[in-house]
Amino acid sequence: MKKSLLAGLSSVMLATMLTGCGSNGEKSNGKVAELKDGEKVEIEFWYGLGGKLGDNMKKKIDAFNKSQDKVVIKGVQQADYDETYKKLQAAVASGKTPALVLTTTDTGQAMAKKKILTELTPFIDVKDDYETKDIIETFLKDGQVEEKQYTLPAYGTTQLMYYRKDALKEAGLTEDIFKDWKEFEKALPKLAKKKGDKVERYAWDPMWGPDNLMDMAYSNGGKVIDESGKKVTINSKEWVEAWSIIDKALNKDKIMKVNSGGQGWEYWYKTIDDVIQGKTAGYIGSSGDQGDLDFKILAAAKQPGFGGKEGTPAASSQQLAIPAKAEDKSKAAAFEFIKYFEKAENTADWSMNTGYIAVRTTAKDDAKFKEFAKKNPQILKPIEQAENAVSTFVDPTGGKIYDAIKKAADKMEIEGKGAQEVLDEAQKEAQAALDNVK
């Protein structure tokens, strides 16, 4: 849940869209079904959330069911997003699907292109009580394919700079070092503590994997693929300059450290523990980490930019989708829950309880959120960053370009190879994969 999952889509039976035949074979004629007074529709909602997130989703479902008398949501919990996706494939093939699923951006887009999902544009157009103008644009675009809306955001995430307040104070630094990556690079030796050749405190822990390295490249104006859509540009000067900051501190100066390997999210929580225990001055991590952090010790900042410009890292969102094979009334019932979940006060509540990003900018105006933000100013950082973020890269090769970037990150962060070398190798591999896309 910290990172987006790059899932490929296997061959499944194509489902009809809202404007085609419904699962009962009757024409819906592009109309959105109405829920009548006194008529109660029960639907299943599949979501792959565990722990605190799963508990919060159950609370939201219960609150929705009590808030009105037309729809009953039956939550069906899975282990993770991947399990939800696999079960949905089987359900589509059998012809009996849930009415609502929680999915990732990339999987949602892949399903939309295969016409497995209901287009939501007609629902948005006819609902007078539903607006998209205050939804964070990046998150709204996550659910669009060919300018049509197929999914809508449930909550978002982006990676932030988390740092120990005492480390900055001790080094005589301020949060201004997070305004530009070059200023941050200059500050690193001051954040590190050495005794001879031994590092007593590392300056920073980049999070293992390619994601925050890709963020740095985006903030430097780098792109994965050029505007023609035919050339991979991951070894451009923008990428190399950005990655070289980590390369130098990690491999030459040896004042950064990367935790890698282990089972599941073990490396992630080990990184957090390093910062909490004072072994590292700070790290780059998910906005969703906020529920696990002690902000008496830590503070959060947006990712830096380059050359005095605002940082533009990626922000991604988990999306709510309505399978195309659901009955028309079930689709209408599912959309009622989407409306409820996305209300400013509800998305604000979700953010306060989980650390993930509220999908509406108006969540910041919610009275409870304002009061919470006064005591917990870090909650505003991911929203502010998301408003200026780029969308998550959707790999046209089914994950091969992303895999090439991931290999490059491992070669630099674990094997100690240089930024230019690993990105040149990755570009060749990624370009070959793109050239094979038909």
Side-chain angles (χ1 to χ4, degrees), residues 77 81 83 86 136 161 174 240 301-302 371 394 403 425:
Q77 190 173 10
Y81 302 119
E83 183 182 335
K86 288 176 181 176
I136 292 174
M161 311 292 278
T174 70
V240 174
K302 294 187 293 181
E371 189 62 31
V394 177
D403 283 345
E425 291 174 358

Side-chain angles (χ1 to χ4, degrees), residues 90-121:
V92 169
S94 71
K96 187 177 181 180
T97 68
L100 187 64
V101 295
L102 180 68
T103 186
T104 61
T105 295
D106 38 27
T107 302
Q109 289 201 357
M111 290 192 293
K113 289 172 183 176
K114 290 287 186 179
K115 302 190 185 301
I116 291 170
L117 301 181
T118 299
E119 185 195 339
L120 300 182
T121 311

Side-chain angles (χ1 to χ4, degrees), residues 16-22 27-31 118-119 122 331:
T16 54
M17 298 303 290
L18 183 67
T19 55
C21 293
K27 293 280 186 179
S28 63
N29 296 320
K31 294 181 180 179
T118 299
E119 185 195 339
K331 294 177 183 180

